[in-house]
Structures are given as C-alpha cells and as structure tokens.
Amino acid sequence: MSHWDCAIAGIAELTPRRRTEGETTLGMIARVSAEAVADAGLEPAAIDGLLVGPQVGETPQHVPATVSEYLGLRPTMSNVVDLGGASGAGMAWRAAAAINAGMCEAVLCVLANTREPTPPRSPNRNPIREFDVPFGASGANAAYAMIAQAHMHHYGTTSEQLATAVAAQRRNAARHPQAIFRDAPITVDDVLNSPWVAEPLRLLEVVMPCAGGAAFVVTSARRARTLRQPPVLLAGAGEKVTHRAISGAPDLLSGPLKPAMARAFQQAGVDAGQMDLLSLYDCYSIMLAVTVEDAGLCPPGQGGAWLAAHDLSAEGDQPLNTHGGQLSFGQADLAGGMSHIIEAVRQLRHQAEGRQIADARHALITGNGATMSEATALVLRRED
C-alpha cells in the first residue's frame, strides 16, 4: 500500500512555445485541464478539488474562485500553491492529504502561463529589494552562479562535467515530440562555447523561459484502479523551505531538497539507488549536481563527476530527465516544474513512446523554488 493511498490518474501537457499571442493564462489552464480530466476518464463534474498557482498580473486575487468559475467547477477544496518551481510537486501531496482528510475525492492540479513580449508584473516589496538588489544581487542568474562558484571552489567541480549532463539532456529531448529543443542537438563543446550569463554559468546551462501548461488529477488509489489509465501511486513526499534570498541561505553547497528527499524515501520505503528514473528539477546545470549529492547517489562534491560518469538516457544505467529536463524540454514558468511529474507518470505507465525505460517502477521527482529555497520531493510508484 502507498503511504498516501492516492494515485495520479490523469495527466496532460501543452507543447512549450517561446511566445504566445492572443492567449490568456485562463484559456491555457482550461485546455490542459480538460485534457487531464479526459485522460483520467472522468467527467468534469467528478472534479471536486482544485489546486492552482499564483497568476501574476492576470488574476492577482481570488485565483481558485476565478479558475473554478472559468472551468465550470464547484470544488469542496481549493487553494493556491505558491512554491515557485516546487509548486507542481507540492500540489501532489496536498491533493492526497485533502483526499485522505475527506475534503474531496478527485483533485485537479494545474499550472500554465503565457509568454508575452512584455510580461505582466506585480508589485514586489520583498526584503530582497532592500537588502540584496541594491548591491547587485538581483535575479536567479546571479544567485545560481554563486552556488555554482561555491561548488567549483570547494569541490573542484568543472564546467565540463556540468556540460556533459546538459548535452545528455538535449539528446533526451530529441526523443520527445513536445520538447522545445527537440530539433536542436548540442555537444559538450557547444555548451562550453556558449556565452557567459553569469560566470561560471553559460547560456546553455540556463533555462529559457517559455509559455506552456501542465495538469494532473489525483484521486484515491481505490478509485484510480477503476479508471482508464494504470494508477501511478504517490509513495512518498517531503518538503522543506529554508530561506528566500540567497543571502539568507544556510548553505550554498547543499539545499532543502536533502531533507525533503530523505522524507520521501523514508515514506516510500526505498532509497535513491532504487529509482528507475530521476526526474530532477534543472533550472540551472548546477542544480543537477547538488541534487544527486543531496539524494545520496554520490558523496558531497562528487555530483559533477557522477553526472559525467553515467549514461542518462532511457536505456542508460541512470536515466535522468528523459524528457530533456527544463533545460531542453522548456521551462513554462511554474508549469516547468510540473513537466517532471508528467514525464515520470508517462514512464511509470510505460507510455513514454520512443524513450521508454525498461520495466520502470519507481521515480524520484524534485521541485525547487526561488534560489534553492523551496523544495518538494516525490517518490512515485507503478502499481504491481
């Protein structure tokens, strides 16, 4: 039995795009939600729970009510999950908790965003604006560059090691028909010769924001067994938040994913070595190295060497981000993190055509928000 006794019963994902014209976030939410509910074999009326992300600029308040009205839903549980790139994974266990609490029976979890020439913004009075930004510490590029710089200085991690993983993910993306970079192969040299963004990170080690959306439906394991798709059980979950700004990080060499993954493994009764798929959040190349270390797959400081030493393809000894990761599949804002869940479910259903991992049974999914600040980890399991 799953720790949570709940399963992901339906999934859907929009093809990432660099730009959108004449679209709204609500419209994209509606499309991907309808596809996820249909994939589960449910009628819209069966959805009585709703988890959505913050809608910056378009619907700044009353988000669940606005989305419910637009979709024609009347949920008995609804909420906004605001954990940055960890939002999708955070939705999964919150949905299961609500089902186990008797608040609802089938929860739609959905994230989507447009990508316009002038993106909408909302006022930001976060303390980072007073204490960090005036000194030049502005934005994720600089913050993750500090993490990479610290890792390289302390452990000797090299740009070549990280570039090997980036190029491997691009090869994986070539096998996914929806990946935004499916037709743009790269080599390790291409990564190393791409322009600096924030030293030591280069352009091809940094996600390219795009538009897109994803959704999944969570229901009880018992009910999932009666539906259209093979149930993918939520076997374990963990979450941890340690800070917001990089200046408040307790450690630049290890992050909150370490305790989050440990809890997910403990609940599932497995360890990192038993994972058939690593579906790891990869906003920057350095996150892959830190995450495999924090998962216990290698000692601290050996993440770069570990990535370079393994075959990360679906047929390899350590399949990792078989959809290409956000670096090559595309980071559709908050929905970019949810793409890791969608790929894991496809692999565990044995429906990843053209890139299927043989007999995949367990997958680790990680989500990472802000600057290695908000972390959620899931272990998903194919039902025997």
Side-chain angles (χ1 to χ4, degrees):
M1 177 184 291
S2 163
H3 176 90
W4 294 92
D5 203 26
C6 285
I8 295 177
I11 57 171
E13 190 160 40
L14 302 180
T15 300
R17 288 181 290 161
R18 189 72 178 104
R19 290 277 185 262
T20 53
E21 293 184 11
E23 292 221 54
T24 64
T25 299
L26 283 172
M28 295 174 76
I29 285 174
R31 292 209 321 273
V32 76
S33 295
E35 291 178 16
V37 173
D39 182 65
L42 291 169
E43 294 296 325
I47 300 298
D48 56 0
L50 175 67
L51 294 176
V52 294
Q55 304 297 309
V56 175
E58 192 171 302
T59 308
Q61 291 180 300
H62 313 297
V63 182
T66 302
V67 173
S68 295
E69 180 182 73
Y70 198 83
L71 299 182
L73 303 177
R74 295 185 177 180
T76 56
M77 184 284 295
S78 60
N79 217 324
V80 170
V81 179
D82 184 7
L83 291 169
S87 296
M91 288 175 174
W93 77 258
R94 285 167 172 80
I99 292 167
N100 288 334
M103 294 299 295
C104 49
E105 295 183 357
V107 183
L108 171 66
C109 304
V110 59
L111 294 165
N113 71 282
T114 59
R115 183 76 182 168
E116 303 165 23
T118 304
R121 297 186 178 275
S122 62
N124 188 334
R125 300 180 69 181
N126 191 293
I128 192 174
R129 297 289 176 179
E130 181 176 358
F131 298 109
D132 294 57
V133 173
F135 299 94
S138 176
N141 290 335
Y144 281 94
M146 291 182 190
I147 294 170
Q149 194 75 266
H151 208 273
M152 290 177 170
H153 173 77
H154 194 79
Y155 293 127
T157 303
T158 68
S159 294
E160 288 80 4
Q161 290 170 341
L162 300 181
T164 299
V166 174
Q169 292 197 161
R170 186 63 65 90
R171 290 193 294 272
N172 288 347
R175 303 168 70 178
H176 194 303
Q178 288 181 289
I180 199 165
F181 288 118
R182 63 188 177 277
D183 298 321
I186 56 173
T187 65
V188 171
D189 285 343
D190 290 331
V191 178
L192 296 176
N193 291 326
S194 63
W196 294 114
V197 172
E199 193 175 356
L201 296 177
R202 295 172 169 85
L203 182 65
L204 294 179
E205 298 177 83
V206 178
V207 288
M208 182 188 75
C210 58
F216 59 90
V217 175
V218 179
T219 189
S220 68
R222 175 191 55 79
R223 188 176 189 184
R225 294 182 189 106
T226 70
L227 300 178
R228 175 176 296 164
Q229 301 289 356
V232 173
L233 302 177
L234 175 60
E239 191 165 291
K240 185 76 171 179
V241 177
T242 53
H243 61 284
R244 166 56 182 91
I246 191 67
S247 57
D251 192 346
L252 294 183
L253 302 174
S254 176
L257 269 171
K258 185 172 184 176
M261 289 187 287
R263 174 168 288 190
F265 289 142
Q266 185 273 326
Q267 288 183 1
V270 295
D271 59 37
Q274 293 173 266
M275 297 298 102
D276 300 297
L277 168 66
L278 301 174
S279 201
L280 307 184
Y281 197 93
D282 61 323
C283 49
Y284 296 82
S285 59
I286 189 61
M287 272 305 301
L288 292 171
V290 174
T291 302
V292 297
E293 292 170 14
D294 282 352
L297 287 162
C298 61
Q302 296 300 306
W306 187 95
L307 290 167
H310 288 279
D311 182 344
L312 309 182
S313 70
E315 297 81 17
D317 61 321
Q318 191 59 79
L320 186 152
N321 289 345
T322 48
H323 65 312
Q326 293 176 90
L327 286 169
S328 288
F329 180 83
Q331 187 192 56
D333 203 76
L334 300 184
M338 195 179 278
S339 70
H340 295 276
I341 299 173
I342 303 301
E343 177 66 8
V345 172
R346 286 192 176 121
Q347 288 286 356
L348 297 181
R349 286 180 175 178
H350 298 174
Q351 295 174 354
E353 186 176 349
R355 60 186 190 283
Q356 180 62 52
I357 299 167
D359 196 31
R361 295 190 67 252
H362 288 94
L364 170 68
I365 297 97
T366 62
N368 166 62
T371 310
M372 209 161 71
S373 313
E374 306 158 304
T376 305
L378 306 173
V379 173
L380 300 184
R381 178 172 67 84
R382 177 182 173 88
E383 187 162 51
D384 295 329

